Structures are given as C-alpha cells and as structure tokens.
Amino acid sequence: MAAKEEKKQNAIIETIKTVVYALLIAGVFRTLFFQPFWIPSGSMKETLLVGDFLFVNKMAYGYSYASCPSVILPRFGINIDAKNICGFLDGDNTRLFAGEPERGDVVVFRHPVSGRDYIKRVIGMPGDSIQMRGGVVLINGTPAPQEPAGFFEETMEPQGPEGRRPRCANGPVGDGGICRKARAIETLPGGRTHAVLDIGVQASDSTGVYQVPEGHYFFMGDNRDNSADSRLGPQIQGVGYVPLENLIGRADRIVFSSAGRSMLFFWTWRADRFFKAVE
C-alpha cells in the first residue's frame, strides 16, 4: 500500500510540474514573441471587426516594460498589470532591439493613463503636425486623399461579449436592419491605403493642429466617428500622444473571427476571415 500511495503522490507531483512548465513556456512565448488579442469594439472597422482574434507580433518593435503581459480577470479578482512585473523598465521611453513603426501600421499599445491595451492605426510620426478638417486628415499640412468607395454594411444587432450595437449613418435602425456607413479609401504619405468609415458630421471631424512630440505617435481608428483615439487627450476618454515604450506590437494577421458573444461559439465563426492579413 505504501508503494502504491507513493506512486500516486509522484504522479500528482509530475502533473503539477508539467502544468507549471507549460505556464512558464506560454508566459515566455507571450512576452517575447506573440500576444493574443481579441477585438472588443468597432473602432477599427472595417479593417478589424468585433470578435476578430489575432496574434500581435511583439518582435516588430523590440521590447519595453509594456511587453510584459497584464493578467486581468475581474471575475476571479485578478488584476496583475505589466508594471507590477516589469515596472523597473518604465520611465526612459526606450526599447530593447527597438524598431520604429511605419505610418499605417495597426498597433496594439498600452493606454498612457489606464494601462489598458488599445489597437489603432499609426497616423502621425514623431515631429509630425496632424489636423482633421472636414473629416479629412492633414499630415504636415497636406490632406491624405480619400476616394469614395460605397458603403460598409452590417446587421443591426448586439456585437461581441459586451453586446454593443453599431452606430449608423442611415439613421436609427431596428434590430435585424441594415446599418450603413460611408466608406472611403484613404492614402497615407508613402502610399499605404486602407478603408475609413464615416457616420456623419461631428466635433472630431475638424480639430486644431496636433504637434506630435519626439518619441511619441499619433493614433486613429479607421471607424473615424466611433473611435476614442489621439484626437482626444488621455484625460478626456481619449488616448493622446502614445510614447514609444508603450507599444506592444504590430497586428499582422487575423487568426479567426467570431460574430457571436464568445469565440468558443464555433458556429458563429466568419469563414472569410481565417488568416486574413491586416492591412
């Protein structure tokens, strides 16, 4: 009996060791190479839809304190911020093996105040002047051309785990109706293009001039009228200028996408978005 009991205890110890090793390997992989990211909101439509699941390339821009993952599980009372783990690296706005993002990259970054992970597109580089005028972005005084390209359409219904409904350009739309937004193809300096959406005239369509500080970046969502981004300072529910050290990585490719309330509902997966490149 003693030998049998000892064998059982050894099996339990080996199982625990296997789990610990697996968690350590996953932690290293997530910290150094790729971080999973689940799109919770519609600020980057149509490039990214609510329910898109992707891996962020953390090697693209090198490493900083923000490369350490935050573990936030409110249901279990877990709130471990990256600064709790790697805060000793914070404060100098530098990176190890640093690589500079390119204008037009879709980037995951830490919000300068809240520390939450955001995903937006790089519009302004260090030293740039940025202004919105009539819904068109001016970069260093030159408008980024927008070519009208029809409409982006989606069904009016609760989207994602948060159950938010989309905003529409075609007025109030009941559940099950078609929600439309004007669509245009924007071309940034350097020639990169992407789709932007417009819901209607609002205050953020025309702004003063933003002067991007050295070592910082200016981000905007592609769904321009439904994005809290660098057009609003971080103290008023926006993002403001984002320091280099707050960048986490570049979004390169969608792995899969779920139109339902959970990524586990495989019957709601969008077949046309498997391994779709992020442009």
Side-chain angles (χ1 to χ4, degrees):
M1 288 293 292
K4 188 175 181 180
E5 186 66 27
E6 182 179 352
K7 185 176 181 180
K8 184 178 180 180
Q9 289 179 355
N10 288 339
I12 294 173
I13 292 172
E14 287 302 316
T15 300
I16 294 173
K17 287 168 63 176
T18 300
V19 171
V20 171
Y21 291 151
L23 290 174
L24 287 173
I25 291 171
V28 170
F29 184 85
R30 180 174 175 178
T31 299
L32 296 180
F33 302 112
F34 297 96
Q35 176 173 317
F37 192 84
W38 175 260
I39 303 300
S41 74
S43 69
M44 282 296 294
K45 291 175 182 176
E46 65 180 48
T47 303
L48 297 171
L49 303 181
V50 176
D52 282 351
F53 182 83
L54 48 87
F55 281 99
V56 178
N57 182 356
K58 302 181 81 169
M59 298 177 286
Y61 310 132
Y63 304 95
S64 71
Y65 86 95
S67 301
C68 286
S70 296
V71 183
I72 303 172
L73 300 171
R75 182 179 301 178
F76 302 101
I78 299 175
N79 187 359
I80 304 174
D81 189 81
K83 281 193 175 182
N84 300 136
I85 305 170
C86 298
F88 65 94
L89 297 174
D90 185 23
D92 56 6
N93 200 26
T94 60
R95 306 181 70 88
L96 184 64
F97 308 123
E100 186 176 18
E102 297 181 4
R103 195 190 312 275
D105 283 358
V106 176
V107 176
V108 173
F109 58 88
R110 279 177 57 90
H111 189 283
V113 176
S114 71
R116 301 298 190 191
D117 291 352
Y118 274 49
I119 186 165
K120 306 287 181 187
R121 189 180 298 276
V122 178
I123 297 297
M125 305 292 286
D128 281 348
S129 66
I130 305 293
Q131 183 181 19
M132 291 293 295
R133 189 181 296 166
V136 175
V137 61
L138 280 69
I139 302 174
N140 297 320
T142 302
Q146 290 186 4
E147 184 68 26
F151 294 90
F152 172 78
E153 297 184 343
E154 57 187 334
T155 302
M156 172 57 75
E157 61 185 355
Q159 298 181 347
E162 299 176 2
R164 297 179 183 175
R165 287 173 168 79
R167 294 176 60 204
C168 314
N170 55 324
V173 176
D175 279 1
I178 298 300
C179 176
R180 294 186 180 89
K181 300 175 182 63
R183 179 177 182 270
I185 301 301
E186 182 174 83
T187 302
L188 297 175
R192 293 182 67 170
T193 62
H194 57 276
V196 294
L197 305 182
D198 178 61
I199 298 170
V201 178
Q202 60 183 44
S204 58
D205 287 341
S206 296
T207 70
V209 177
Y210 303 94
Q211 194 67 42
V212 185
E214 289 300 323
H216 292 71
Y217 298 87
F218 192 96
F219 286 91
M220 293 176 66
D222 292 347
N223 191 2
R224 290 282 163 82
D225 293 341
N226 196 48
S227 175
D229 51 38
S230 291
R231 290 171 290 177
L232 296 175
Q235 303 299 338
I236 51 174
Q237 307 304 314
V239 169
Y241 305 120
V242 178
L244 171 67
E245 66 179 353
N246 281 43
L247 307 187
I248 294 174
R250 186 180 64 215
D252 291 333
R253 192 168 297 274
I254 299 162
V255 179
F256 68 89
S257 180
S258 172
R261 301 297 296 270
S262 170
M263 66 179 179
L264 300 178
F265 297 169
F266 62 87
W267 58 90
T268 66
W269 290 2
R270 301 175 175 110
D272 61 337
R273 297 186 73 78
F274 281 102
F275 303 108
K276 180 180 175 65
V278 177
E279 299 177 346

